[in-house]
Amino acid sequence: MKTSKLVTVVHPDSKTRIALRSILEAHGCTVATDHSCADLLSDSGVRPNLILLDRSMLSEEGVGVLSRLNHK
């Protein structure tokens, strides 16, 4: 039996988050969404297999987000 992969989509635009969620769910993924990197970091119990993060958010919130995610 194939298990569903958990994907977290982080994007400031709600329409983009909804579209990506729909596409990923249609391919069998379980999807969580966050509005910002701060929201992503506060999701203490979530351990996704993949994080889709809008690149523009890194320049706004700093590349340190990636380092914090790695330690988390």
Side-chain angles (χ1 to χ4, degrees), residues 2-4 16 20 34 41 46 51 55 58 61-62 64-65 70:
K2 190 175 181 181
T3 60
S4 178
T16 301
L20 289 170
D34 285 315
L41 291 170
V46 178
I51 298 171
R55 189 173 78 169
L58 290 177
E61 298 185 43
V65 169
N70 189 38

Side-chain angles (χ1 to χ4, degrees), residues 27-45:
H27 284 86
C29 296
T30 301
V31 182
T33 61
D34 285 315
H35 174 64
S36 68
C37 291
D39 291 343
L40 175 65
L41 291 170
S42 70
D43 291 343
S44 59

Side-chain angles (χ1 to χ4, degrees), residues 57-70:
M57 298 181 84
L58 290 177
S59 62
E60 293 173 12
E61 298 185 43
V63 180
V65 169
L66 297 176
S67 177
R68 286 185 282 175
L69 283 173
N70 189 38

Side-chain angles (χ1 to χ4, degrees), residues 5-35 50-55 57:
K5 299 295 183 187
L6 175 59
V7 179
T8 298
V9 175
V10 184
H11 200 283
D13 179 58
S14 63
K15 290 181 182 180
T16 301
R17 287 193 310 271
I18 291 167
L20 289 170
R21 174 189 283 260
S22 296
I23 292 166
L24 291 164
E25 287 178 341
H27 284 86
C29 296
T30 301
V31 182
T33 61
D34 285 315
H35 174 64
L50 175 70
I51 298 171
L52 293 179
L53 177 66
D54 184 65
R55 189 173 78 169
M57 298 181 84

